């Protein structure tokens, strides 16, 4: 775009002026022409189509009717007073209702004249009505019908000041008239041709005021593509930049791995695990700092990959650490890796919030001397007192629990050279999307489960069927299995109430199963007591574990084959999937039972449905993304780069793939954008960089 033109303040558009400009500034953060023209409509109303009154149902969003006002009446008293106009179109009658401006509407309505009415139908007492519809006398000669009207996001405040969507559309139209000649192409002819994109100028016109649906779609596609394309260029450049700026320790000796794999590890790695180990080993030998995301569904065997990665660093004289989000999980990692480490003669220790002062001190000393090779722990690892002699590899488990900030804090513990970083997550999402969300990370995926796993059977049961469910539990325990019963997490605000739910649940389970032993674990317990109860369950001294989501991540008890999730509607999808992943780890058939009330929101029903339908973590993550949106899901939005205006990462995955491929190809051919044919791209990039500060900051 032509910068100086688009930097012009909005107040200079005819009909805006200082007052309205101020409102646009504060309410929508629209300051200049560029901001306004990029305030795209979020949908268009199809004024090309008329519905029949008889077709009205509540599923319809906005509808347009053509017909006559037959008669009107004022109903109710005082603030409940409303004007009801009876509108007919030959197929039936619907009520148009006004609560405000009654007198004015009453005066302006002409009975028995043909009108076009536009509004959203709602049902009340079995009858449909349209509240505060837009009405307009039908004029068959005017071009008032047959177009797609843009609908813009505005705030209530703006509406009150007569800056509603319609007003905004008028202003935007005026701006477009003078702006069009100033809109420059931002992509190369090559890319436009290859992807059959609409030119920029036409796209800006049709995104606001499309000629028809096809033009709107082409314009939308073009603008989304462009936005994602430039995002990808910047991410790729940032990644390349980091790789040249940050050297990495070079780890080459693989003797430990050979010993471990040939003599100690009791199973073969899956093909996917082998592939991923190769990727990691290659990274750590390359001389640049590794920043890799390891994705793998629950149970896919990430822990052993982590350990094998540590072996490479240790083999080459460096120290390693593994950070987990909860104490239970850190302890479990420690317990499962210690036997391996012992057999190899590698020192390993655990550091959590509940490690006592004196043992902490010893740990610190051994770390500093370099004698301690593997340190496993929780957030406690981030504390300043924890200093390594030569930290070569940092592994972070279940990354979505950690912010970018904490990640970079751990990094800084590498003395001369930054340590390699491996982030593990059980939220599998498509590679390109992961690369975009995690920005600077390369991605490895374990897409294969260890052999011999039986798929978990998932069912949905209403609370009223609890007796049946209990009967089923009893049968399974008779066969020697163990059972988890999980309650929603206790949040600060509802601690008492929820803790009571959990404790009531615990009591009723004990009553229902008097001959079995029942454990209880929740976040309000002392870590020591939690651990004690966990251990009883691990040793099969208790058959039923009543818990909150503290057991969500990573806990591994292969004999537990039933997961009951109470109030399943209160959990997010990826959480449900994580919980379910606690079973299905042994040779037996496992079950996950989602318990809910009859009443469920549409979204909750959707979540339950997906859980019952599939065990595939990718599918679950994609649905989650659609329901919740990407920012929410990751909790680690890369600021700046991901401030998308029009593209939606949850929905535009395919465009994202194409845009990334195009960006990659471009940078491969012309890394510094020196070729003349790419001049528009170079200019646009410069303009974006001028407007967003700090994007090259490494998180
Ligand atoms: P997650 O990816 O969820 O962290 P874990 O690393 O906890 O999964 O592995 C789950 C279980 O699978 C562990 O008991 C582990 O020992 C076992 N496992 C991992 N890889 C293999 C394999 N290749 N063959 C057999 N079992 C494996
Ligand atoms: Mg794990």
């Amino acid at each position: 775009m032509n910068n100086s033109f688009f930097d012009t303040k909005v107040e200079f558009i005819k009909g805006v002026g200082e007052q309205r400009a101020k409102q646009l500034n504060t309410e929508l953060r629209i300051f200049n022409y560029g901001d306004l023209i990029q305030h795209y409509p979020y949908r268009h109303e199809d004024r090309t189509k008329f519905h029949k009154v008889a077709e009205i149902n509540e599923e319809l969003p906005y509808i347009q009717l053509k017909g006559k006002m037959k008669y009107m009446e004022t109903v109710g008293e005082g603030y409940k007073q409303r004007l009801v106009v009876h509108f007919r179109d030959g197929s039936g009658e619907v009520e148009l209702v006004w609560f405000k401006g009654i007198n004015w509407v009453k005066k302006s309505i002409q009975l028995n004249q043909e009108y076009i009415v536009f509004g959203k139908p709602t049902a009340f007492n079995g009858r449909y009505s349209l509240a505060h519809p837009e009405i307009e006398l039908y004029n068959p000669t005017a071009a008032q019908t047959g177009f797609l009207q843009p609908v813009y996001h505005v705030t209530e405040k703006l509406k009150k000041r007569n800056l509603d969507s319609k007003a905004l559309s008028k202003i935007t139209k005026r701006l477009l008239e003078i702006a069009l000649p100033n809109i420059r192409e931002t992509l190369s002819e090559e890319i436009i041709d290859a992807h059959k994109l609409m030119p920029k100028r036409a796209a800006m016109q049709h995104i606001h005021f499309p000629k028809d649906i096809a033009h709107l779609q082409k314009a939308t596609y073009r603008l989304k593509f462009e936005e994602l394309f430039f995002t990808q260029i910047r991410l790729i450049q940032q990644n390349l930049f980091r790789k040249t700026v940050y050297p990495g320790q070079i780890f080459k000796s693989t003797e430990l791995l050979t010993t471990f794999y040939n003599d100690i590890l009791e199973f073969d790695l899956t093909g996917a695990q082998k592939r991923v180990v190769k990727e990691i080993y290659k990274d750590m030998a390359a001389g640049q700092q590794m920043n890799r995301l390891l994705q793998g569904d629950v149970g896919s065997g990430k822990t052993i990959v982590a350990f094998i990665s540590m072996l490479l660093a240790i083999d080459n004289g460096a120290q390693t650490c593994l950070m987990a989000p909860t104490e239970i999980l850190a302890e479990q990692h420690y317990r499962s890796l210690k036997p391996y480490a012992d057999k190899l003669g590698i020192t390993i220790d655990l550091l959590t919030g509940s490690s006592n002062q004196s043992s902490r001190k010893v740990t610190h000393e051994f770390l500093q001397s370099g004698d301690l090779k593997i340190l496993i722990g929780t957030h406690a690892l981030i504390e300043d007192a924890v200093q390594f002699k030569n930290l070569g590899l940092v592994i972070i488990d279940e990354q979505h629990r950690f912010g970018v900030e904490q990640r970079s804090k751990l990094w800084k513990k590498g003395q001369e050279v930054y340590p390699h970083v491996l982030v593990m997550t059980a939220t599998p999402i498509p590679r390109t999307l992961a690369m975009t969300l995690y920005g600077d990370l390369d991605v490895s995926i374990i897409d294969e489960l260890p052999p011999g796993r039986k798929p978990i059977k998932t069912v949905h049961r209403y609370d009223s069927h609890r007796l049946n469910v209990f009967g089923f539990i009893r049968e399974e325990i008779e066969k020697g299995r163990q059972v988890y019963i999980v309650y929603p997490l206790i949040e600060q605000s509802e601690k008492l109430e929820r803790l009571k739910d959990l404790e009531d649940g615990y009591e009723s389970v004990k009553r229902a199963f008097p001959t079995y032993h029942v454990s209880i674990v929740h976040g309000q317990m002392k870590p020591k007591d939690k651990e004690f109860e966990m251990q009883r369950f691990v040793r099969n001294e208790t058959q039923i574990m009543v818990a909150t989501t503290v057991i969500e991540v990573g806990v591994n008890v292969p004999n537990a084959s039933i997961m009951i999730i109470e109030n399943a509607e209160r959990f997010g999808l990826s959480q449900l999937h994580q919980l379910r992943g606690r079973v299905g780890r042994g040779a037996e058939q496992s079950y996950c039972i989602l318990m809910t009330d009859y009443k469920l929101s549409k979204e909750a029903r959707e979540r339950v449905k997906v859980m019952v339908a599939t065990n595939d973590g990718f599918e679950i993550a994609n649905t989650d993304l659609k329901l919740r949106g990407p920012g929410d899901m990751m909790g680690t939005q890369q600021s700046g780069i991901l401030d998308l205006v029009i593209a939606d990462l949850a929905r535009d995955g395919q465009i994202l793939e194409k845009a990334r491929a195009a960006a990659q190809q471009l940078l491969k051919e012309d890394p510094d954008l020196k070729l003349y044919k790419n001049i528009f791209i170079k200019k646009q990039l410069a303009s974006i960089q001028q407007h967003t500060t700090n994007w090259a900051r490494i998180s």
Side-chain angles (χ1 to χ4, degrees):
M1 293 208 212
N2 179 341
N3 273 332
S4 58
F5 175 83
F6 287 100
D7 285 339
T8 315
K9 289 188 181 147
V10 273
E11 64 180 85
F12 296 114
I13 302 170
K14 227 171 81 195
V16 177
E18 216 175 309
Q19 280 310 313
R20 291 181 128 189
K22 238 185 225 151
Q23 285 154 20
L24 290 172
N25 292 173
T26 51
E27 292 298 300
L28 296 177
R29 307 207 52 72
I30 292 176
F31 295 94
N32 54 36
Y33 286 8
D35 297 334
L36 181 63
I37 213 163
Q38 286 183 82
H39 186 68
Y40 301 127
Y42 63 94
R43 63 185 178 89
H44 286 79
E45 279 162 2
D46 188 353
R47 297 300 182 93
T48 61
K49 193 172 167 266
F50 291 104
H51 280 93
K52 291 263 171 254
V53 168
E55 294 169 347
I56 296 180
N57 64 64
E58 253 188 308
E59 297 294 295
L60 288 173
Y62 284 82
I63 53 165
Q64 185 169 241
L65 304 166
K66 191 163 76 182
K68 292 174 179 169
M69 319 271 185
K70 299 313 279 188
Y71 64 99
M72 50 185 142
E73 53 191 330
T74 312
V75 190
E77 297 280 323
Y79 71 95
K80 280 189 172 166
Q81 197 179 53
R82 60 193 189 276
L83 176 70
V84 177
V85 177
H86 295 260
F87 178 87
R88 288 182 205 154
D89 73 348
S91 79
E93 181 180 297
V94 68
E95 292 177 358
L96 312 180
V97 184
W98 281 267
F99 303 94
K100 286 182 203 149
I102 292 179
N103 288 335
W104 187 82
V105 177
K106 231 182 192 165
K107 256 187 251 154
S108 66
I109 281 179
Q110 302 175 30
L111 292 179
N112 293 313
Q113 292 292 316
E114 194 120 52
Y115 269 92
I116 294 174
V117 167
F118 185 83
K120 187 172 167 29
T122 47
F124 187 70
N125 283 343
R127 275 202 297 195
Y128 286 106
S129 65
L130 274 62
H132 284 250
E134 284 176 29
I135 58 170
E136 206 173 338
L137 270 174
Y138 177 62
N139 178 355
T141 56
Q144 70 191 31
T145 58
F147 67 100
L148 292 159
Q149 183 162 304
V151 183
Y152 296 93
H153 165 71
V154 288
T155 63
E156 283 306 315
K157 253 197 190 144
L158 287 176
K159 274 188 212 162
K160 275 195 197 125
R161 311 238 169 147
N162 291 327
L163 259 174
D164 58 2
S165 169
K166 232 178 183 166
L168 213 56
S169 120
K170 274 188 197 143
I171 298 171
T172 305
K173 195 164 213 162
R174 228 168 273 150
L175 172 62
L176 264 176
E177 276 159 21
I178 51 171
L180 281 181
N182 290 286
I183 294 174
R184 307 266 161 85
E185 188 47 70
T186 51
L187 294 172
S188 65
E189 216 169 302
E190 202 171 21
I191 288 177
I192 290 177
D193 286 349
H195 295 270
K196 301 196 175 58
L197 300 174
M198 184 182 260
K200 176 88 180 200
R201 191 174 292 164
M204 293 306 279
Q205 167 80 38
H206 289 289
I207 193 77
H208 291 283
F209 304 102
K211 197 171 132 209
D212 51 35
I213 298 269
H215 279 77
L216 175 62
Q217 281 167 346
K218 286 221 102 180
T220 310
Y221 187 91
R222 146 79 208 216
L223 295 173
K224 285 182 173 184
F225 183 96
E226 171 181 339
E227 182 167 52
L228 293 169
F229 174 79
F230 282 105
T231 308
Q232 291 304 315
I233 291 221
R234 291 165 68 212
L235 284 171
I236 295 166
Q237 282 185 333
Q238 176 177 314
N239 198 313
L240 291 175
F241 168 78
R242 199 200 60 233
K243 281 184 178 157
T244 56
V245 168
Y246 296 108
Q249 306 186 49
I250 299 177
F251 298 149
K252 286 206 159 133
S253 164
T254 58
E255 268 169 54
L256 262 179
L257 168 70
T258 314
T259 311
F260 177 66
Y261 201 64
N262 292 342
D263 305 341
I264 297 174
L265 187 62
E266 64 275 25
F267 48 76
D268 280 333
L269 294 181
T270 61
Q273 284 171 320
K274 282 183 191 159
R275 190 187 65 236
V276 163
V277 165
K278 260 190 212 144
E279 288 168 356
I280 293 169
Y281 270 49
K282 195 169 158 223
D283 272 9
M284 291 208 279
Q288 287 127 20
Q289 190 219 9
M290 172 174 77
N291 267 278
R292 193 166 274 282
L293 177 71
L294 174 57
Q295 290 196 143
D297 209 345
V298 276
S300 61
K302 294 184 290 293
T303 317
I304 203 69
V305 170
F307 184 72
I308 288 173
S309 307
M310 289 175 159
L311 291 183
L312 180 63
I314 295 164
D315 212 353
N316 291 272
Q319 295 166 289
T320 63
C321 70
L322 167 57
M323 181 159 73
T326 64
E327 287 197 12
I328 291 181
L329 192 54
E331 275 152 20
Q332 185 183 287
H333 278 320
Y334 176 70
R335 226 174 305 113
S336 69
L337 296 183
K338 186 162 188 338
Y340 292 147
D342 286 350
K343 281 186 194 148
L344 287 163
I346 295 173
T347 46
I348 182 169
D349 204 350
L350 176 70
L351 184 76
T352 68
S354 45
S355 307
N356 68 39
Q357 218 49 44
S358 55
S359 94
R360 230 175 240 246
K361 231 174 144 182
V362 176
T363 306
H364 290 167
E365 274 164 25
F366 277 109
L367 265 188
Q368 233 150 11
S369 71
D371 288 330
L372 181 55
K373 297 300 184 192
I374 300 179
L375 180 61
I376 294 178
T378 53
H379 284 74
L381 297 191
I382 300 178
E383 284 162 20
D384 289 335
V386 181
Q387 291 297 333
F388 295 81
K389 178 154 189 256
N390 176 23
L391 180 57
L393 171 65
V394 172
I395 300 178
I396 303 174
D397 196 9
E398 310 295 354
Q399 116 98 19
H400 57 284
R401 298 281 177 106
F402 287 110
V404 171
E405 193 110 308
Q406 287 161 318
R407 242 208 288 156
S408 63
K409 227 174 174 178
L410 258 181
W411 272 32
K412 295 200 178 98
K413 293 188 188 292
Q415 280 68 25
E416 276 157 39
V417 186
Y418 280 141
H420 297 293
V421 177
L422 181 67
V423 177
M424 305 199 288
T425 169
T427 310
I429 49 176
R431 182 187 297 269
T432 309
L433 182 56
M435 284 175 167
T436 306
L437 285 172
Y438 292 101
D440 53 343
L441 300 178
D442 294 314
V443 178
S444 288
I445 299 178
I446 306 183
D447 51 5
E448 180 184 352
L449 292 181
R453 297 265 171 85
K454 288 205 178 88
I456 302 162
K457 287 190 180 149
T458 303
V459 294
H460 175 203
R461 292 285 177 269
Y462 293 111
D463 293 336
S464 49
H465 291 102
R466 187 169 306 276
L467 275 183
N468 287 344
V469 173
F470 277 9
F472 176 68
I473 293 179
R474 191 165 294 116
E475 283 168 29
E476 289 296 303
I477 298 180
E478 290 296 325
K479 291 190 217 155
R481 308 285 101 76
Q482 286 165 280
V483 181
Y484 292 106
I485 304 180
V486 176
Y487 286 80
L489 185 73
I490 300 165
E491 283 166 27
Q492 209 64 26
S493 57
E494 47 177 27
K495 247 183 203 170
L496 289 175
E497 179 194 342
R498 288 274 139 199
L499 192 58
K500 192 169 171 306
D501 277 4
L502 180 79
E503 278 165 355
D504 288 352
Y506 173 64
E507 290 304 326
S508 75
V509 168
K510 275 210 301 199
R511 248 179 282 122
F513 301 95
T515 53
Y516 299 124
H517 300 284
V518 184
S519 281
I520 180 167
V521 170
H522 58 79
Q524 311 295 305
M525 284 161 72
K526 287 207 189 88
K528 241 182 156 168
D529 301 337
K530 257 194 284 189
E531 176 59 14
F532 178 77
E533 282 299 313
M534 262 329 284
Q535 283 310 317
R536 293 212 304 152
F537 189 66
V538 170
R539 288 192 298 264
N540 202 357
E541 289 166 17
T542 58
Q543 288 72 48
I544 301 174
M545 159 70 75
V546 174
T548 56
T549 44
V550 289
I551 63 142
E552 175 188 344
V553 197
V555 174
N556 196 12
V557 182
N559 192 50
S561 64
I562 299 185
M563 168 63 66
I564 315 265
I565 304 177
E566 297 283 351
N567 293 108
E569 73 279 3
R570 293 181 62 110
F571 293 87
L573 249 187
S574 71
Q575 229 181 353
L576 289 173
H577 184 61
Q578 285 286 326
L579 282 169
R580 175 168 62 181
R582 298 311 106 213
V583 297
R585 302 186 151 239
E588 306 305 328
Q589 176 61 55
S590 290
Y591 302 88
C592 174
I593 304 177
L594 306 172
M595 305 290 300
T596 73
D597 194 8
Y598 272 115
K599 262 197 234 145
L600 284 180
S601 72
K602 208 167 143 197
E603 213 190 292
R605 203 168 280 284
E606 186 75 12
R607 288 197 295 266
V608 170
K609 205 171 111 194
V610 175
M611 283 295 293
V612 171
T614 182
N615 272 310
D616 182 345
F618 273 94
E619 218 177 306
I620 305 248
N622 280 328
T623 308
D624 200 23
L625 202 60
K626 278 185 189 133
L627 292 175
R628 288 205 288 156
D632 225 19
M633 193 161 153
M634 299 300 147
T636 56
Q637 280 276 28
Q638 305 275 312
S639 55
I641 287 194
L642 274 193
D643 287 342
L644 298 174
V645 175
I646 184 164
D648 175 351
L649 290 175
R651 289 187 165 71
D652 299 328
Q654 281 178 341
I655 310 180
L656 177 63
E657 296 281 345
K658 289 195 177 127
R660 183 170 177 93
Q664 257 164 337
Q665 202 189 334
L666 174 84
L667 289 175
K668 201 166 143 206
E669 193 191 274
D670 185 12
D672 300 315
L673 301 179
K674 285 199 173 117
L675 299 180
Y676 185 72
K677 64 176 184 180
N678 294 325
I679 187 164
F680 292 156
I681 296 176
K682 187 172 185 149
K683 281 190 175 172
Q684 175 66 2
L685 209 53
S687 152
I688 293 173
Q689 278 163 11
Q690 191 199 329
H691 282 92
T692 44
T693 49
N694 241 2
W695 64 269
R697 178 184 51 94
I698 310 298
S699 54

